[in-house]
Amino acid sequence: MNTALLCLGAGAMTLLGSCVSYKDSPIDLVREEQTWKQQSLAVQGTKPLNLGKIQKIGLVLNADLNQARLKLAHSSNVAQQSGWWNDPSISFDAKQSLEDVSVINLDAGLAFTIPVTGIPSLEKKTAEQYKESDYWALRQAELTYLSTIEQEWKQLGIVRKRKELIAQRVREMKDEDARFSQLYKLGEIDAATRQLTTKNYNTAVRDLQTAEQDELAQRMSLIKQAGFHPAAASVFRLDTSCPMNVPKAVTVPSPGELVSSPQIKSGMAAYAADEIQLKTEIRRQFPELELGPAFTRDDGEKELGGSIGFNIPLWNHNRKAIAEAEGTRNSSRQATIALWRELLQNSRELAQEQQLVRSHCQDELNRLNLFSSNLVKLEQLYKIGETSLADLAEARQQVYESRISFLDSLSKLTRTQTSLRYLIPPSSLAR
């Protein structure tokens, strides 16, 4: 009996040693908010923030990226813990003889499953492929984040430039309105003209209010996308700019270059994992081999030997799992092909859109330059009294509207070019 107890104790200690301990992780939302706010506000230094710094800091603070990193850490841990053989099985039997209570018969066995089908190796490969898929999913999330932040940043610059132009025009129209008021009192313009100039001035004032609201909304959107605390919107000094020129065309990636897209690589890795999973389920049809020593004590006689065992798949077991794995593999294959087609189509659409919108921008810029040249001439004529204030105001309005139209076209072009630029990872994100 002491021998049996000793064996049971050893087995229990082995089981306890293989157990994983639990550690709780409570959520304190108040503390989380305070930490988030401190991290965000600590970013602002003595100099205004530029796009590069915002992008780098946001790579750490963005919630979606951190969630993608946790998913990669999860799959990495799963991959590390995959591929183990099945745990050995230990059996004990102790029987007391009814005829002689001093006689105790013992049976003990230890069985190891020998994975002759190679299933643990396949499970390891499957987990590694899912880890690879999550890795590229994280890279794609970073690429999408960088594209979004650059778009938000440049849109903020355009919104600020629009507000600046509207404010400049409001100041001009305020001065013009005062002059028109004097002309109206002198009877040099009629009531309809006076009413029209007042209406245009009030419209410009409302446009300025709308522009101020747009700037605030765009600033808040940038702060949110970067992962900063909302309090940062009123604290950060952002060094944005918006040159009034047409940016150079962005190179369109070729189909061969698009293969380097993290989105495609993630899909390919997921497909490979599903392919291996199908092979694994097919392998499960075949029996595993069980080997191990055996000990018997019967009526005082001790016997030591071995055991061998395996199951016989008479009923074509695992058919359902194979069918499910095959269906998943086929769906994954089709999804990856569809993803590639969508990416290729998107790149071609962006290329054509860039070409079209760039031509619109250039046309708007040409008109702006022409109107600006005419305005310079009219201002010179107005100074010497050879043109009217109404003609000068109309020329100023023409230049103002042309500038706003150029910014509208530039906004569309900026979004298109940024999307094109981040279809494939830049060198800084290369693996």
Side-chain angles (χ1 to χ4, degrees):
M1 181 63 72
N2 292 335
T3 303
L5 291 175
L6 182 61
C7 293
L8 288 172
M13 292 298 294
T14 302
L15 292 175
L16 290 174
S18 64
C19 292
V20 178
S21 60
Y22 167 76
K23 183 179 180 181
D24 64 341
S25 181
I27 299 177
D28 187 342
L29 294 179
V30 175
R31 180 178 297 178
E32 290 289 337
E33 191 272 338
Q34 291 175 349
T35 303
W36 180 29
K37 185 176 181 179
Q38 291 174 358
Q39 290 176 339
S40 298
L41 298 182
V43 171
Q44 180 63 69
T46 57
K47 297 181 179 179
L49 299 177
N50 55 29
L51 173 60
K53 190 169 184 179
I54 286 286
Q55 285 181 323
K56 290 179 181 179
I57 297 171
L59 286 172
V60 178
L61 295 180
N62 184 270
D64 292 336
L65 293 182
N66 287 326
Q67 191 66 30
R69 292 187 183 101
L70 286 177
K71 187 177 180 182
L72 175 59
H74 165 74
S75 58
S76 298
N77 190 32
V78 170
Q80 185 178 4
Q81 302 302 330
S82 298
W84 294 87
W85 288 16
N86 290 338
D87 293 329
S89 60
I90 303 175
S91 61
F92 294 97
D93 281 332
K95 301 177 182 178
Q96 189 177 47
S97 175
L98 298 178
E99 297 177 357
D100 186 355
V101 296
S102 63
V103 176
I104 297 177
N105 297 326
L106 299 175
D107 285 315
L110 176 63
F112 294 91
T113 301
I114 309 301
V116 294
T117 59
I119 288 179
S121 175
L122 290 175
E123 290 178 341
K124 181 74 172 180
K125 291 179 180 178
T126 301
E128 289 290 345
Q129 286 298 323
Y130 281 128
K131 171 188 171 183
E132 182 79 1
S133 177
D134 287 342
Y135 170 83
W136 288 114
L138 173 59
R139 298 283 82 81
Q140 179 60 44
E142 291 177 344
L143 204 60
T144 302
Y145 161 79
L146 292 174
S147 175
T148 301
I149 288 298
E150 184 169 323
Q151 286 186 7
E152 295 286 343
W153 181 271
K154 291 185 176 180
Q155 290 304 314
L156 178 60
I158 292 174
V159 168
R160 283 181 166 179
K161 187 67 174 180
R162 181 183 284 108
K163 188 189 77 169
E164 177 187 331
L165 293 177
I166 296 175
Q168 178 183 348
R169 182 58 187 146
V170 166
R171 290 192 297 269
E172 289 177 348
M173 295 183 74
K174 184 177 181 180
D175 178 66
E176 292 169 2
D177 187 67
R179 295 186 185 182
F180 277 120
S181 178
Q182 293 176 357
L183 293 175
Y184 177 71
K185 291 178 181 179
L186 295 174
E188 296 186 11
I189 61 174
D190 57 19
T193 304
R194 177 72 186 107
Q195 185 178 8
L196 180 61
T197 57
T198 302
K199 180 182 176 181
N200 291 339
Y201 173 67
N202 291 333
T203 300
V205 171
R206 287 193 291 270
D207 289 343
L208 180 59
Q209 294 173 348
T210 301
E212 290 172 346
Q213 295 173 2
D214 292 343
E215 181 189 13
L216 176 61
Q218 188 63 42
R219 185 183 181 91
M220 293 295 294
S221 179
L222 174 64
I223 294 300
K224 179 181 178 181
Q225 292 293 341
F228 293 110
H229 191 278
S234 59
V235 176
F236 282 3
R237 301 192 309 277
L238 305 177
D239 186 17
T240 59
S241 61
C242 179
M244 296 291 287
N245 53 40
V246 180
K248 295 181 180 179
V250 174
T251 303
V252 181
S254 65
E257 291 173 329
L258 286 176
V259 177
S260 65
S261 167
Q263 193 176 14
I264 297 300
K265 289 187 176 181
S266 177
M268 293 292 288
Y271 166 72
D274 293 334
E275 179 81 5
I276 299 173
Q277 185 62 35
L278 174 59
K279 295 179 182 178
T280 303
E281 296 301 336
I282 293 175
R283 292 279 185 93
R284 292 188 196 279
Q285 295 181 108
F286 306 106
E288 299 283 15
L289 184 63
E290 292 185 357
L291 297 174
F295 169 78
T296 301
R297 182 178 182 274
D298 188 6
D299 290 335
E301 296 184 2
K302 300 179 180 179
E303 299 175 351
L304 182 65
S307 64
I308 183 172
F310 55 87
N311 57 351
I312 302 176
L314 294 177
W315 313 116
N316 295 319
H317 68 288
N318 213 38
R319 289 280 182 174
K320 179 181 178 182
I322 293 174
E324 291 177 345
E326 185 174 9
T328 301
R329 187 277 308 268
N330 293 339
S331 297
S332 179
R333 183 179 187 278
Q334 185 60 35
T336 304
I337 295 174
L339 182 64
W340 161 249
R341 291 177 178 177
E342 181 182 358
L343 183 62
L344 185 61
Q345 180 69 23
N346 187 36
S347 68
R348 294 302 170 261
E349 289 179 359
L350 289 172
Q352 294 179 12
E353 186 176 348
Q354 176 186 224
Q355 183 178 3
L356 179 62
V357 180
R358 261 191 105 247
S359 66
H360 290 170
C361 274
Q362 190 61 56
D363 291 342
E364 292 291 348
L365 185 60
N366 292 339
R367 281 191 289 270
L368 173 59
N369 292 334
L370 177 61
F371 295 153
S372 298
S373 177
N374 292 337
L375 176 60
V376 171
K377 295 177 181 178
L378 278 175
E379 286 178 341
Q380 293 173 350
L381 292 174
Y382 180 74
K383 290 179 180 179
I384 61 177
E386 294 189 6
T387 188
S388 67
L389 178 61
D391 292 338
L392 178 61
E394 179 63 26
R396 287 175 175 174
Q397 184 68 17
Q398 200 173 43
V399 170
Y400 161 73
E401 291 177 355
S402 183
R403 286 173 176 170
I404 297 299
S405 296
F406 174 77
L407 289 179
D408 291 339
S409 296
L410 184 61
S411 176
K412 297 176 184 178
L413 180 60
T414 296
R415 293 185 183 277
T416 301
Q417 289 190 328
T418 304
S419 298
L420 265 176
R421 190 176 294 110
Y422 288 96
L423 282 177
I424 58 177
S427 56
S428 59
L429 282 182
R431 184 175 182 177

